[in-house]
Amino acid sequence: MTKLLTRPLCALLLSAVSLTVQAQWEVRTEAQYSATSGDHTPLWLNANKYGLSSLKTSNGYLRAGIFHSMEADSARRWAIAYGADIAVAGGYTSTVAVQQAYADVRWLKGLLTVGSKEQPMELKNQELSSGSQTLGINARPVPSIRLSLPDYWTVPYTRGWLGFKGHIAYGMPTDDGWQKDFTAEPYKRTEHTKLHTKAGYLRIGKADKPVSVEMGIEMACQYGGTSYVQNPYPSVPGTIEYIAVKNEDGLKGMFHALIPSGGDAGEDIYANASGNHLGSYVLRVNMDFDDWYLGVYADHFFEDHSQMFFLDYDGYGHGEEFNEWKDSRWLIYDLKDMMMGTELKLKKNPWLNDIVVEYLYTKYQSGPIYHDRTYYLSDHIAGRDNYYNNYYQAGWQHWGQVMGNPLYRSPLYNTTPEARVANNRFWAWHFGLSGDPLEGLHYRVLATWQRGWGTYDNPLPDPERNMSLLAEAEYRFANGHKLAGWAVKAAFGLDHGGLLGNNTGGQLTISKRLNIKK
């Protein structure tokens, strides 16, 4: 038995030594400075940077990281990768930011990731899209244990027509200290919250065919920890009193986050599901030909059953039977809230090679009425979904930045110390352009028009408008040049309107990449 165990262990150690001998590292260093005239850094100088950004009118950072990829080991059955990425910042929510610190272990097509790692969006353009509504790139990574199929795995016996990929992860946000500093009574906060995410995507169409369809579901849940909320029954009537509410944790909390079930503290007969559950249905149709590519996509966000299933039970009895199912009666909700987008790539036109157009609508949220069954009125109407907010958890945010689409105004913008999204009912048009007119030169332009109504609970007195612009150009020195590996990026940003204020700013980034082989 000892020999049987020792041989594979020795083989594993020899493989690890071989990997070390063939190791390749990339060292990245970066310095960035932003300056703004106005109240905040303009939206597109701040958003979709994995939270390594600031709203302060003057801010900057020095950043350094070292990464080992598994590309050199792509032919092996297993491989490892790791990275560490740290920034020292001024004008940020923290002076030192451990942006990434992770290890990847791959076995065949499966990947285990432990730590904080920047994960890209699925089914959307990383630099031109306004962002995914559930699993976006706007906030700092959350330290997690994540098991995934990062690339499509061809489903057996489908002749290559079906592929599947996805992930499941559990982690813990790191912004307890920020929440405590940012919020003040009578505003809630949470400590030691846990985060669960999962997603699955199905591809229909062969990889070598020009037309394919990708569809999937992305889901997340904030659960556990302790919530500090206002006591509805204070010991002294008429005063504001805070109480600590212990949320469901442990294995039971993990299970109820995985399969939405259970209930939060104090819900009793109205128990729905433990934690803050949310998610999106996503869809993309791809048409990929020699000279051009066209993608059409959709992202429908949901916070509960009303927008997840578009119907809810409403057949309860009356009087003492108000909590019993009596009739086959259901409420049907409309499909109104949606992000629709299209992307056109012109493969032989370097001056303008990528165009993205998106429209977002989030005003409906299952309607303005919420009423749960009672002794006197048994109707159940599940409106006022209040996207990205939650009555126990601090909402869909991390370090003050929303973890989804940044057009939902992040808590960092709030003039009151509330960790909530103050504008989640809006429509917006978003445009993105990019090109590579010269060797080493890349540019992008973003333009967004938005009109917001606040929230159902706290509507704006009048709808507010906003326009945000970005013009950015980056030059990378080519191999063979004495500055090879260096890059310089300059950006100009602008906000105008009542939602984000009137802001004008510039941003300069200088970076260096160096490959080390051993």
Side-chain angles (χ1 to χ4, degrees):
M1 179 65 71
T2 303
K3 290 183 179 179
L4 290 175
L5 290 173
T6 302
R7 287 176 180 174
L9 184 59
C10 289
L12 187 63
L13 290 173
L14 287 172
S15 298
V17 171
S18 177
L19 281 173
T20 302
V21 170
Q22 300 178 29
Q24 178 173 319
W25 292 274
E26 182 181 54
V27 178
R28 305 174 194 170
T29 57
E30 187 173 272
Q32 184 180 99
Y33 178 71
S34 304
T36 301
S37 63
D39 297 325
H40 309 291
T41 302
L43 175 68
W44 296 121
L45 294 182
N46 159 72
N48 287 344
K49 297 178 182 290
Y50 292 99
L52 193 58
S53 54
S54 171
L55 294 185
K56 299 291 185 181
T57 55
S58 178
N59 64 80
Y61 65 75
L62 296 174
R63 181 180 185 182
I66 183 168
F67 303 87
H68 166 61
S69 72
M70 52 181 69
E71 292 180 2
D73 309 309
S74 58
R76 297 175 179 271
R77 296 173 66 87
W78 70 279
I80 59 173
Y82 42 83
D85 183 9
I86 300 174
V88 178
Y92 279 55
T93 50
S94 60
T95 303
V96 178
V98 181
Q99 185 69 6
Q100 299 184 86
Y102 66 89
D104 285 335
V105 179
R106 177 183 59 79
W107 172 257
L108 298 179
K109 289 185 175 292
L111 182 67
L112 174 66
T113 302
V114 179
S116 299
K117 185 180 181 182
E118 296 177 349
Q119 300 290 349
M121 296 184 293
E122 296 284 354
L123 311 189
K124 295 180 183 69
N125 185 292
Q126 302 301 304
E127 70 165 358
L128 298 183
S129 172
S130 64
S132 290
Q133 294 197 84
T134 298
L135 303 179
I137 58 173
N138 189 59
R140 290 193 194 179
V142 174
S144 305
I145 298 176
R146 175 185 171 112
L147 186 62
S148 65
L149 281 172
D151 301 311
Y152 280 111
W153 166 71
T154 301
V155 179
Y157 308 111
T158 63
R159 297 184 178 180
W161 281 93
L162 288 181
F164 174 81
K165 68 178 179 179
H167 85 270
I168 181 171
Y170 285 91
M172 179 180 288
T174 58
D175 65 344
D176 287 2
W178 174 84
Q179 287 190 47
K180 189 172 183 179
D181 291 340
F182 184 79
T183 60
E185 293 184 4
Y187 305 116
K188 73 174 186 297
R189 63 182 174 89
T190 58
E191 286 185 352
H192 309 310
T193 298
K194 315 304 184 297
L195 175 66
H196 164 66
T197 64
K198 54 182 173 283
Y201 310 91
L202 186 67
R203 184 199 67 213
I204 303 174
K206 290 188 175 183
D208 59 349
K209 298 296 183 180
V211 179
S212 64
V213 177
E214 297 173 275
M215 62 183 71
I217 184 170
E218 300 175 347
M219 295 189 69
C221 176
Q222 296 166 300
Y223 71 99
T226 301
S227 298
Y228 294 86
V229 298
Q230 187 175 335
N231 187 357
Y233 308 105
S235 55
V236 179
T239 63
I240 295 176
E241 182 179 276
Y242 260 58
I243 55 175
V245 177
K246 186 70 175 69
N247 301 312
E248 188 178 61
D249 254 316
L251 291 177
K252 185 179 290 187
M254 294 177 67
F255 178 79
H256 288 157
L258 176 66
I259 301 177
S261 52
D264 287 318
E267 287 187 327
D268 298 324
I269 63 171
Y270 300 115
N272 180 19
S274 176
N276 178 30
H277 292 263
L278 50 95
S280 288
Y281 294 119
V282 292
L283 171 71
R284 187 173 184 113
V285 179
N286 305 290
M287 290 160 277
D288 194 356
F289 295 92
D290 292 339
D291 295 340
W292 56 273
Y293 162 88
L294 179 65
V296 180
Y297 54 94
D299 183 335
H300 169 68
F301 183 75
F302 55 83
E303 284 266 5
D304 59 21
H305 294 87
S306 60
Q307 285 300 296
M308 186 176 185
F309 301 116
F310 306 108
L311 79 166
D312 213 352
Y313 183 75
D314 188 35
Y316 294 98
H318 298 279
E320 295 182 353
E321 297 179 322
F322 78 96
N323 196 40
E324 299 179 19
W325 287 37
K326 289 293 183 179
D327 302 315
S328 179
R329 186 172 65 182
W330 302 81
L331 280 178
I332 299 176
Y333 299 89
D334 295 331
L335 173 58
K336 291 183 177 181
D337 295 339
M338 183 78 74
M339 173 184 182
M340 301 292 295
T342 184
E343 179 178 6
L344 175 63
K345 293 183 179 181
L346 305 173
K347 299 180 181 180
K348 296 184 178 180
N349 184 16
W351 286 87
L352 176 61
N353 53 31
D354 213 339
I355 304 169
V356 166
V357 180
E358 294 177 342
Y359 175 71
L360 284 83
Y361 184 93
T362 69
K363 286 178 58 183
Y364 177 51
Q365 301 191 25
S366 301
I369 299 173
Y370 178 84
H371 180 270
D372 220 329
R373 56 201 183 274
T374 65
Y375 184 91
Y376 298 101
L377 184 62
S378 61
D379 285 319
H380 174 79
I381 305 174
R384 295 213 318 258
D385 289 346
N386 205 5
Y387 294 166
Y388 285 23
N389 290 318
N390 186 260
Y391 57 93
Y392 273 139
Q393 299 291 339
W396 194 232
Q397 65 83 38
H398 192 214
W399 287 89
Q401 297 275 23
V402 298
M403 290 192 282
N405 189 295
L407 297 183
Y408 296 84
R409 196 170 72 188
S410 291
L412 278 180
Y413 285 96
N414 294 344
T415 56
T416 57
E418 301 174 82
R420 71 180 184 95
V421 174
N423 182 59
N424 60 21
R425 298 185 62 237
F426 62 87
W427 61 254
W429 280 98
H430 173 78
F431 301 87
L433 309 171
S434 69
D436 302 272
L438 300 173
E439 183 179 357
L441 179 63
H442 177 78
Y443 78 88
R444 65 170 176 154
V445 176
L446 304 180
T448 308
W449 285 264
Q450 184 178 15
R451 191 178 188 191
W453 280 257
T455 68
Y456 274 127
D457 293 337
N458 295 280
L460 296 173
D462 294 300
E464 297 281 5
R465 297 180 183 272
N466 189 78
M467 175 186 68
S468 295
L469 301 176
L470 172 74
E472 180 183 270
E474 181 180 32
Y475 185 79
R476 290 191 172 275
F477 292 91
N479 292 332
H481 193 282
K482 63 181 180 180
L483 295 178
W486 287 89
V488 179
K489 180 164 60 179
F492 170 80
L494 170 71
D495 293 332
H496 182 75
L499 285 176
L500 303 180
N502 298 321
N503 313 298
T504 304
Q507 189 174 84
L508 179 66
T509 308
I510 300 175
S511 61
K512 165 71 172 177
R513 294 193 175 191
L514 175 66
N515 289 320
I516 302 174
K517 296 183 180 180
K518 183 178 179 181

